[in-house]
Amino acid sequence: YGVLPARYEWDMNMCMTFGAILAAPDPVAVVALLKSLGASAGLTMIITGESLRNDGTAMVLFNLFYDRLSGSPDAASTPREILATFAQMALGGPALGFVFGLGALVLLYVLSEREAATLASGHTGATWQFSVTLACAYLSFFVGEHVCKVSGVLCTVTAALVLAEAGQPLINNHKAMERVWHTLEFVGNTIIFLLAGALVGEALTLEH
């Protein structure tokens, strides 16, 4: 707000919306560099987790000020409403994610016990367990973002942290689970960068 020239005529809401976009870090290049240098998996996970937390907070700020910028009737207008909205999204998201994580843990426990009792094939058990983690990831985001009106990103991240902390003994095939999620991560990152490049290119083309 104080640095950009006055000719841009950006008000505080526009500056805060733009700042929320720039504040979200992208760990893809850093994680790739750490892997090439042989850094420990723990350090890589810490950086990735910290980035996801920051992404969730940036999304909360972006939604908050973008609603004000676009003149949404549901936008918070007073300082008390802004703080209440921020608290609802930033605190409600992790709380709901914790519930989803516990629910996924119960399902993983049931599947693990069932496979141990029936001596089912590892492939079948791993498929069901992966389906539970996939459903937890997408349902937590959808329910949090569109149903409960909290931060879907923070909801999903918290659910994942619960699974990572307590779900390890319940996973029958860690390598298969890790391989599938690494593949989804690669595909997701690739699609995001392709879409971002296409949208930026379209905007620049239309502008000129």
Side-chain angles (χ1 to χ4, degrees):
Y1 185 77
V3 172
L4 292 178
R7 66 175 180 271
Y8 289 115
E9 298 180 353
W10 282 14
D11 60 6
M12 182 58 70
N13 290 324
M14 181 65 182
C15 291
M16 291 296 290
T17 303
F18 185 67
I21 297 174
L22 296 182
D26 179 21
V28 175
V30 177
V31 170
L33 180 61
L34 289 176
K35 289 182 178 179
S36 65
L37 295 176
S40 65
L43 177 60
T44 302
M45 187 58 62
I46 289 175
I47 294 177
T48 303
E50 185 265 348
S51 174
L52 288 173
R53 281 292 185 182
N54 287 340
D55 286 346
T57 306
M59 280 296 298
V60 171
L61 292 174
F62 173 82
N63 291 330
L64 178 64
F65 288 100
Y66 182 75
D67 287 343
R68 291 169 55 86
L69 179 65
S70 59
S72 173
D74 299 328
S77 56
T78 64
R80 170 179 282 185
E81 290 178 348
I82 292 176
L83 290 176
T85 302
F86 183 84
Q88 174 187 345
M89 299 182 70
L91 299 179
L96 182 62
F98 185 78
V99 174
F100 267 97
L102 289 181
L105 283 177
V106 172
L107 290 176
L108 289 177
Y109 175 79
V110 171
L111 290 172
S112 178
E113 291 295 315
R114 176 190 174 193
E115 182 172 357
T118 60
L119 299 178
S121 65
H123 173 75
T124 303
T127 301
W128 278 106
Q129 288 189 337
F130 168 72
S131 300
V132 169
T133 59
L134 185 66
C136 177
Y138 283 94
L139 279 177
S140 61
F141 180 85
F142 179 82
V143 173
E145 191 78 16
H146 300 288
V147 178
C148 298
K149 304 301 180 182
V150 297
S151 174
V153 176
L154 292 178
C155 182
T156 304
V157 171
T158 304
L161 289 174
V162 173
L163 288 177
E165 180 66 24
Q168 294 290 338
L170 303 176
I171 302 298
N172 297 325
N173 193 332
H174 290 84
K175 290 185 178 180
M177 182 74 71
E178 184 177 355
R179 191 179 302 115
V180 171
W181 273 108
H182 274 309
T183 302
L184 287 179
E185 177 189 9
F186 174 77
V187 173
N189 283 327
T190 302
I191 293 176
I192 288 174
F193 281 107
L194 284 174
L195 290 176
L199 291 174
V200 172
E202 181 184 17
L204 293 176
T205 303
L206 293 177
E207 183 178 349
H208 292 82

